[in-house]
Structure formats: C-alpha cells, structure tokens
Amino acid sequence: MKAPIVLAVDTPDLEIAKQWIAATQDSVSVYKLGLEFFLTFGHAGVKAIQSETDADIFLDLKLHDIPHTVQGAASAIASLAPRFLTVHASGGRAMVKAAVDAVPATDVTAVTILTSLSEEDLFEIGYANPALESAVALAKMSVTAGARAIVCSPLEIAAIRSAVGVTPTIITPGVRPLSEVGSDDQKRTMTPRDAISAGATLVVIGRPITKSWSEGAQVMKSKARAIADEILN
C-alpha cells in the first residue's frame, strides 16, 4: 500500500530520477520535482516523469513575484497539470490568487515558513512574530485567496489545521525517521507518523530514502517501504 509520502526527486540526472520512481512507486504517493529539476529539464522532464508513474506530481517552484508575473509563470506550466504547484505565501493575497486563477486544475500550494529557517533567522529577515504565529497567518490568508494546499513545518501543523479546517491539504517537509531527526539542514523536524497524527495530509521525504540509492535499487525500495510502513502501521 502506498503511504502519504511525497518523495523529493532531487537529482540532476533524469535517468536516475526515473530509476528512483521505479524503485519507490509501490510506497510513494507523490513525486516532488523542484526548481533545479525544472530549470534543467523543463516541460519535457516533467512529462518524462509523468510517463513513468500514475502518482501525483508536485511541482515545487515556489513562485514569488508580483501577481502579474506569477500568473504568467503559473500559466506557463498549466499544460503539465501537476497536482500541486508551490508559491510563497509571503508574496501576499493578490499573488496567491493570481496563481490560483491561472491554474484552476492544479492545487496551488502556499509555502508558509521554510523549514530550514530558525526563529533567529526569521527575526533577522524582519518577521515581527515567531514562526508559529507567522505560519498560521500566512496559511489563513492563502486559503482565503484560494490556495488548496499549505506547506508548513511539522511544528505548525496542529495550529494551521485548527485555523484552516479539514479541507486544505497540509504538506509537511522536515520530517525524518526517528533515527535521523536533526541530521541535516531541516531545523524544525518531526517523525513522519507524528506529523500525520498531528494533522498533515502528506509528508515530504527526500534524503532518508534517496541516499540509499548508492547501495542499489533494492535497498532504496526497502527503505521506502520501511518508512511507508512506519507511517501506516
């Protein structure tokens, strides 16, 4: 059975990306293609991945510009019909709505506070409130602007779920299997199962699965299955 896992396909090699999908698609529900992937392979690369799997595609471009520009950028990928497309919630209500208007068949996904940022980082940037308050405010604003999904740290899931209700999808990066919590650049972490229990719909996992590729496809498949079972059981 597939688990509510979004696998971050962070590789500059399209053939390796296809092999990752072949190794994990029994366990993974969504594949996330990021900015590096899209700038390297473009529309053709996304279509190549879509041809390998019937799983949903999460196009993680984190659009952030004036509303007119974001509307144009979102329109430019509309033909790919990804299930999710990210924008930065901090771009504001009009910008989020511009993306929503451009891709009505896609769930515009508002990124609240990057999980790589600490509280100190936020205050240095100029945020007046701590991460929790800021993320909740950004999520509420984005949903009222038409976003159908939210990206937030595991530590903000419960508060955002309470604020936006049961309908919006909550997607949570920064989750790590218990043995790996705190081992890399994600500062605000939680185990995948705890994140789902707190109210997340989907959890984004990358390196805990993809780093096992160096040991072979079967090891990667087993790692994905083990993490999926950790969530489902």
Side-chain angles (χ1 to χ4, degrees), residues 147-171:
R148 293 198 289 266
I150 297 294
V151 174
C152 68
S153 152
L155 303 186
E156 285 101 54
I157 297 167
I160 287 176
R161 179 59 76 200
S162 178
V164 302
V166 299
T167 302
T169 299
I170 293 180
I171 304 171

Side-chain angles (χ1 to χ4, degrees), residues 146-224:
R148 293 198 289 266
I150 297 294
V151 174
C152 68
S153 152
L155 303 186
E156 285 101 54
I157 297 167
I160 287 176
R161 179 59 76 200
S162 178
V164 302
V166 299
T167 302
T169 299
I170 293 180
I171 304 171
T172 307
V175 296
R176 293 291 178 267
L178 194 57
S179 61
E180 300 185 33
V181 168
S183 64
D184 57 29
D185 64 0
Q186 303 287 0
K187 298 276 177 58
R188 295 176 289 134
T189 61
M190 185 180 286
T191 67
R193 186 169 184 175
D194 286 346
I196 297 294
S197 296
T201 315
L202 294 162
V203 292
V204 180
I205 300 175
R207 281 165 286 188
I209 292 174
T210 59
K211 69 182 181 182
S212 61
W213 175 251
S214 62
E215 301 174 69
Q218 189 57 47
V219 174
M220 187 178 190
K221 181 175 183 176
S222 297
K223 184 67 172 178

Side-chain angles (χ1 to χ4, degrees), residues 64-71 95 98:
H64 191 176
D65 213 309
I66 63 171
H68 179 76
T69 299
V70 166
Q71 187 162 19
M95 190 209 78

